[in-house]
Every structure is written in C-alpha cells, then in structure tokens.
Amino acid sequence: MSDAEPAEDTSVHGQREPDPASDPAVVALGGGHGLYATLTAVRRLTERITAVVTVADDGGSSGRLRSELGMLPPGDLRMALAALAEDPEGVWARTAQHRFGGTGALAGHSVGNLVLAGLAEVLGDPVAALDEMGAILRCTGRVLPMSPTALTIEADVSGLEADPRVSRCIRGQVAVATTPGKVRRVRLIPSDPPASVDATSAIGHADVVVLGPGSWFTSVIPHMLVPDLRTALMQTQAVKVLVLNLAAEPGETTGFSAERHVHVLSQHAPDFAVDHVLVDSGSVPEGREREHVARAAEQLRARVTFADVAEAGTDRHHPGKLAAALDQVIRQPRPELAGLRVEGRHPVQQVRSVSGGKERVSWR
C-alpha cells in the first residue's frame, strides 16, 4: 500500500461538492429574448444556473391566461425554460415554444404557456409548476419568477401632449413597451410587491449575478423595484455584471445611447452598484462616446468592458461571444481589490473576444 496521504473528501453524501472555480453559481435576471440570450450564453460556462424572470407581461397569450386564470404571466418563464432545456432544438423544447395558429380559442397560445397553466392549477404552486416543467425539459438549472404575484408596470411618459414638459401615465407592459413617447420613469403596481423567496436565496448564494440585456424599462429595471430583490442584489457577495443592449428599442428606449441606459438604471436604483458593465464594442465607437459610457458607469461604481458580443449584422447577442466576454470579466480581479476605484475614476477595459464553448477555468 502507498504511504501517501489520502485525497481530501469533498463530497457530501457521496456527491462531490460544486467547485465555484470551474462551475460558478450564476443568477441571470431579466425577461423575454434578452434573458434567453443570457441563458444560452451562460450555460456554456456552468451548469449551476438560476433564471429570475419578470412577471408583468400583460399581452398576447400571457396576458390572456393571466386575466382568465389569475396566474403569473407564463411567456417569459416558458422562454427561460426553453433556453435551459437539455436540447433547445429538441422536440420537447420546440413543442413548448410552439404557438397555435388559426382563429379559434387556442389561436396565439403557446403550448408551454398552457402546460404551465395546467401544472400551476394541479400543483397549486407556480414555482412547483416551473420545477416540474423544468424536469420534463431536463433543464440545466432552475427558472423562478421574481415575485409570486403578477405585477403591473406603470410609466411616466413625455412627448404625448402638446407641451413636451407634461407627462402622461401609461399603464401595462405592452403599452409602455410600444409607447411613441419618451419613458421617464417606471414603477410597479403594487408598489411593494413580495420577492420570490427562492430567488432572493439564489442571489445570496450566487458567485455571479448577470442583469440584462432586455427591454430596459419592462424587463431589466423592474428587478430593482421589488424591495427584497433589490436588497438581495445589494447585499450579495457575487460578482455583478450589467449587460447593455446592442441598440435602442423602438418605443421603449427610442434614441437611447449606451450611456443613457446606464443613467436610467442608476436613477431608478441610485444606491445600486455592479462590478462590470459589459458593452458591445461595435455599438459604441471609440473615443468620446466610450468615455461617456465609462463616466456613466461610475454612478454604479463599475468598470466598463467593451467586447464584440453581437451576431454579425443584427442587434442580437451571439451566445458564444457573450459567453466568452462574460468569462473574461468574471475572471478579472474585483475592482476594489485591484485598486481601480480611485476618486471615482475607472479605466475603460478592452476585452478580446474568444471562441465560444464551455469554459472550465478558474475565474476567481
């Protein structure tokens, strides 16, 4: 027999403990196509994923089911489950995303929305319904609502009256997202909604938290407006990354620059800080505009990273490029540890894009 010391047992009840260096616990917050892009990227880096999803949708199939059954709007939750499915292109994931055509009662409903509605009624718990559908799709990670209560978004919008200084109150996610005016501020109804307990717990135990991209006023900022969720985001020891959109969205953020996106988030959550702001290098030209973004990021006490994260010729994030950029930023030293936060000034960092794929690296 060898006299060598036996290897340290890091298992629990026969199962090896997760290694945060190679398999970090990541919480991604958002909704819709933006969160789908983040989850598709993050699953290349880790299997320990929690998606925290907005629950204010009031349009289409989600709006109808919400109104008729009094349930959480399922559409964004369904999309997150599809993004984390074992085989996103497999028959079950494609079926969950399938939307009925025709003109009958089912027209416009997606199969996954109806399955979630049925599971929620049978199990009596929307989170249990999400976990059950996640098991059916063999999802990598977990999908949670940001609140157990369906929420309503209300916005102050200018530019709808003859006097541009006058704001009008617009209510409803679809109305806010498609308004021809300029959104100034959003709030939630109720104004003090509860947070999902599982979501706040996941944030508290996370190694990395990713916020954005997505519809800025209706999918990203609402997370800052749920008090317990905001507290969890402020108190977590995780590395926090804000991913900016590649372009302004017609209606909701028409005319917004990357700098303006950061300012608006800071205005809604002035005490919120992140470690990194990730910006597509192709959407912000070098020079003065990048300096403006860096100065805006100071409000969040963040360092800015510019990287090629776009799918060529589109305003969509490329999963492989986004994964590579996230991998780079979460492996950088924390700004306060690197001595970068001096008199509120932070250097603009350049990140070289690397090929996509699952990374197994020590990001600490």
Side-chain angles (χ1 to χ4, degrees), residues 172-361:
Q173 178 169 318
V174 172
V176 172
T178 58
T179 179
K182 177 178 267 186
V183 179
R184 297 293 186 182
R185 178 169 288 275
V186 292
R187 52 192 165 268
L188 294 177
I189 301 173
S191 61
D192 187 16
S196 165
V197 175
D198 288 356
T200 57
S201 177
I203 292 169
H205 290 88
D207 298 308
V208 181
V209 170
V210 182
L211 180 64
S215 299
W216 214 243
F217 285 107
T218 55
S219 292
V220 177
I221 289 176
H223 291 281
M224 298 292 102
L225 306 181
V226 178
D228 287 345
L229 201 62
R230 178 170 167 176
T231 298
L233 288 167
M234 292 174 59
Q235 293 179 347
T236 182
Q237 296 301 304
V239 176
K240 288 179 279 189
V241 185
L242 175 67
V243 182
L244 295 192
N245 292 344
L246 297 176
E249 293 185 286
E252 189 170 318
T253 55
T254 298
F256 273 37
S257 63
E259 174 192 7
R260 180 63 179 155
H261 280 80
V262 177
H263 277 306
V264 167
L265 176 64
S266 181
Q267 288 167 358
H268 282 79
D271 48 357
F272 181 60
V274 300
D275 297 288
H276 304 278
V277 176
L278 180 58
V279 188
D280 176 57
S281 54
S283 64
V284 181
E286 293 188 25
R288 187 176 300 276
E289 287 191 41
R290 292 195 178 186
E291 293 174 5
H292 290 167
V293 175
R295 281 197 293 270
E298 291 173 6
Q299 298 174 343
L300 301 175
R301 298 185 288 286
R303 128 192 332 179
V304 180
T305 295
F306 292 97
D308 174 17
V309 293
E311 191 172 313
T314 75
D315 290 332
R316 297 189 300 269
H317 285 81
H318 184 282
K321 292 179 179 179
L322 181 57
L326 287 170
D327 177 57
Q328 290 286 328
V329 299
I330 64 181
R331 287 195 292 123
Q332 293 179 24
R334 298 293 282 267
E336 65 271 21
L337 298 179
L340 295 176
R341 293 182 177 173
V342 180
E343 298 179 358
R345 304 292 295 179
H346 319 304
V348 175
Q349 302 291 316
Q350 297 290 336
V351 170
R352 177 177 59 86
S353 293
V354 295
S355 59
K358 181 161 284 190
E359 304 290 338
R360 292 296 178 191
V361 293

